[in-house]
Amino acid sequence: DLLTFGALSLNRSTYELVCNGRTQSLSGKEFQVMEMLMQNPNAIVTAEQLITHIWGWNTDVDTSVVYVHVSNIRKKLDAISAPVAIKFVKGAGYILGVTV
């Protein structure tokens, strides 16, 4: 059960990112963030959408929590030399795109 975006795959069974034979494990929340971004490639996903999808409507989680998870995912993408990046669009949200 894989989600793919370019050379990057997200294994939904093992919660692992895979790129060119390299693997990085994700925490549960990191997995949920990455899954949502990979289901909406090249589209802006707002922090509010991520919070609602992952933590639910009745939560006091704020956008800084999303930022921390995205930061951790970026480090893991770098560690496997994935040719993708999670970009922040000020006032809008996050977008998963291919790096040039």
Side-chain angles (χ1 to χ4, degrees):
D1 193 16
L2 297 176
L3 263 179
T4 58
F5 179 67
L8 181 68
S9 295
L10 177 65
N11 188 319
R12 288 176 160 160
S13 299
T14 62
Y15 285 30
E16 290 177 329
L17 286 172
V18 181
C19 185
N20 300 321
R22 293 180 167 181
T23 304
Q24 274 288 317
S25 296
L26 299 176
S27 72
K29 298 297 186 205
E30 290 169 353
F31 169 81
Q32 289 177 297
V33 169
M34 195 64 197
E35 181 181 45
M36 194 164 178
L37 290 170
M38 287 184 76
Q39 288 173 331
N40 300 284
N42 299 308
I44 292 173
V45 178
T46 68
E48 289 75 24
Q49 287 173 311
L50 289 164
I51 290 168
T52 301
H53 176 75
I54 297 167
W55 288 273
W57 291 99
N58 296 325
T59 184
D60 40 355
V61 167
D62 68 11
T63 56
S64 64
V65 173
V66 173
Y67 175 79
V68 170
H69 288 296
V70 169
S71 177
N72 291 337
I73 294 167
R74 285 176 174 150
K75 291 174 189 168
K76 292 179 179 187
L77 289 170
D78 285 345
I80 60 172
S81 303
V84 300
I86 301 171
K87 298 176 182 113
F88 178 71
V89 179
K90 189 173 181 175
Y94 297 93
I95 186 167
L96 180 68
V98 175
T99 57
V100 181

